[in-house]
Amino acid sequence: MTGAFKRLSLAGKLMAAGGGALGVLLMAGSLLITWSSDAAVRDLAGRYAASMTGESALAVKNDLDAADAVVRSSAALFGASYEAGQRDRALYMAQLKPVSVGAPAMLGGWLMVEPNVLGQDAAFAGKTELGATASGRFIGYWVREGQGLAISSGEDGEFGERFYTTSFNSGRPAVMEPYADNVADGGAQKEVLMTSITYPVMAGGRVIGVMGADLALDDIAARLNALKPFNDGRAMLVSPGGLWVSHPDAAMRMKPYAGPGLEVVRQVMAEGKSAVVSGVTINGRKAQRLVAPVRLASGATWAMVVDVSEAALLAPARRIALGLAVGGLLLLAAALGVLAVVSRAVIARPLLALRETVKGLAENRYERPVAETARADEIGSIARALETLRVELARAQALRDEQDTLRRAADADRDRAAALTLSIDEQTDVVSQVGEALAAVAAGDLSRRIAGPFAPVYEPLRQDFNTAVASLEQAIGEIAEAADAIGAAAVTLSTASGDLARRTQRQAQGLARAAGSLDAVTGAMGGAA
């Protein structure tokens, strides 16, 4: 490992060292952040789950409390009407009809009063349109039927049921344990999970009856079943009596709560404070169970139960850890990339340029100035030192070149001096031979030649002399021959000239005689004329 590091370039060593240090710091930072954020994220996830549980509990509470408010105000209304002397059963039925569906969760509303409170019951026996039972007791009951409302007849035995006796005997509102009942649905009957909210009807300081509303829990259960906290969780509802009102497993509905944390659930409903139950599993995975109270306006407390797997709770922390890891790797890669670019631009390239400069100096090339001398860092210092060395080496090379030039000049002078000495001796010999040859030629000896050879510089002179004398000898020979020919011609010419003179003289004499004759002829011709 050490050997491999040593074999790296300076930029490589910088990247390896910087990248390693940065990687270690990033890993340490990631681990530290992951460790410190795990608890915080777990706590935030728990708070979020608790908040979700609380919101679900609040939604259930709002549904139930809306119906509770309708029943409470209706009980007060009917009590006030009775105190005002109202005894008309038809009017009570008319007043009951709109309030029977005053809340979305209400399936119907009912009003039950004590015997003979609204007149003699026997007088109304069998009149169901006026809410009378077979004996004439008043049980006004409006229920949803399709898109409208219908009157449902009651029975005398219902006055002994808990939904009536609880509030009547206690004088306080009550919420009944969930139960299943058949309701009309488009002409057919279907079983619906429901509960009842009841309020005592007070008049003159005594309980004269009970106002109640039947609430459908199927819609609430369906909404809770649709909730998937953290994607794989589940939301459920437990009644005050410890029955499962809502559960993903339909077979568990209306069954007693028998899972882990039963005491915790009871404590939550008793104290009204949320709690967490451990030891729960979802599809074989460990989970946490959050229990939140659903305290209704009537005073009853239900329990909202939300199960969330620990894997889902830890998922945000794991995502953060993964994000930190990926971000750290990306940051490391970016840092290494920046180090690579910077080290190449700031270190490797200038050092390569300096290496080429040193190589040039080693090859006695001093003409190019050293680069990077303007830098203020260590490379600039090295470059300035190399520039100083280059200048000194260039100066020394110039001195060496000047010395070589002087030495070559001195050698040339010595060569010229030696050559001059040799030339004088040769010149003396040449002058002597040429002088003797010229003297012989001047004495008329045109056959004289200069034997050779001379020194190369004087050889043309010897050859030219010999050629000139040979030409002169040839010319003189030709002149002599021409002179002899001229002499012979002159003799011949002289003889011919004498002959010509004598013939000329004779011709002159003949001409003179001809002229005299001509004159005589002329005179005769003149006379004749």
Side-chain angles (χ1 to χ4, degrees), residues 302-321:
W302 296 40
M304 175 63 62
V305 178
V306 174
D307 292 344
V308 180
S309 67
E310 292 189 358
L313 285 174
L314 295 178
R318 291 173 180 171
R319 285 195 295 270
I320 291 177

Side-chain angles (χ1 to χ4, degrees), residues 472-508:
L472 180 62
E473 182 181 12
Q474 182 180 0
I476 293 298
E478 292 176 354
I479 291 173
E481 291 178 357
D484 292 341
I486 291 171
V491 174
T492 301
L493 181 62
S494 176
T495 302
S497 296
D499 293 340
L500 179 63
R502 285 190 295 272
R503 286 194 297 271
T504 303
Q505 186 177 5
R506 284 193 300 272
Q507 291 175 353

Side-chain angles (χ1 to χ4, degrees), residues 238 242-244 247 252 255-263 265-266 289:
V238 178
L243 299 179
W244 285 113
H247 196 283
M252 295 296 296
K255 296 289 183 63
Y257 181 104
L262 176 59
E263 294 301 323
V265 174
R266 290 175 177 171
R289 173 164 289 177

Side-chain angles (χ1 to χ4, degrees), residues 211-473:
M211 171 66 195
D214 296 334
L215 280 64
L217 297 178
D218 285 342
D219 291 341
I220 295 176
R223 289 203 307 271
L224 293 180
N225 289 337
L227 292 178
K228 300 294 180 184
F230 290 87
N231 297 324
D232 65 347
R234 57 192 181 187
M236 299 161 287
L237 185 65
V238 178
S239 70
L243 299 179
W244 285 113
V245 178
S246 170
H247 196 283
D249 184 0
M252 295 296 296
R253 293 171 62 178
M254 300 304 298
K255 296 289 183 63
Y257 181 104
L262 176 59
E263 294 301 323
V264 175
V265 174
R266 290 175 177 171
Q267 182 179 0
V268 167
M269 288 191 290
E271 298 179 359
K273 295 181 180 179
S274 300
V276 178
V277 178
S278 300
V280 182
T281 59
I282 299 178
N283 298 325
R285 293 179 297 174
K286 294 179 62 176
Q288 288 188 3
R289 173 164 289 177
L290 292 86
V291 184
V294 183
R295 189 177 294 277
L296 304 181
S298 60
T301 302
W302 296 40
M304 175 63 62
V305 178
V306 174
D307 292 344
V308 180
S309 67
E310 292 189 358
L313 285 174
L314 295 178
R318 291 173 180 171
R319 285 195 295 270
I320 291 177
L322 180 60
L324 288 173
V326 174
L329 290 177
L330 293 177
L331 182 59
L332 179 60
L336 289 177
V338 172
L339 281 176
V341 173
V342 172
S343 61
R344 182 174 179 81
V346 177
I347 298 177
R349 190 177 300 163
L351 287 180
L352 290 175
L354 294 181
R355 185 184 69 179
E356 291 300 319
T357 299
V358 173
K359 183 178 179 181
L361 296 179
E363 295 174 354
N364 299 325
R365 291 185 282 108
Y366 312 118
E367 65 280 359
R368 181 178 297 177
V370 179
E372 310 295 338
T373 55
R375 294 176 55 147
D377 54 11
E378 291 78 1
I379 293 179
S381 300
I382 296 174
R384 288 190 291 274
L386 285 176
E387 177 65 14
T388 302
L389 177 61
R390 184 192 70 83
V391 172
E392 294 298 327
L393 290 175
R395 184 178 299 142
Q397 182 65 35
L399 291 176
R400 286 196 300 271
D401 293 343
E402 185 177 356
Q403 290 175 355
D404 291 342
T405 301
L406 293 176
R407 185 165 51 254
R408 287 192 296 270
D411 293 341
D413 290 342
R414 285 194 298 270
D415 294 341
R416 283 195 297 272
L420 182 59
T421 301
L422 179 60
S423 178
I424 292 174
D425 294 339
E426 292 177 347
Q427 186 177 8
T428 301
D429 182 61
V430 169
V431 171
S432 176
Q433 293 189 47
V434 171
E436 291 177 357
L438 288 175
V441 171
D445 185 6
L446 296 178
S447 63
R448 182 67 178 269
R449 300 291 186 270
I450 299 176
F454 282 171
V457 69
Y458 299 112
E459 180 62 19
L461 177 62
R462 184 188 69 82
Q463 294 176 357
D464 292 343
F465 177 81
N466 290 339
T467 302
V469 172
S471 299
L472 180 62
E473 182 181 12

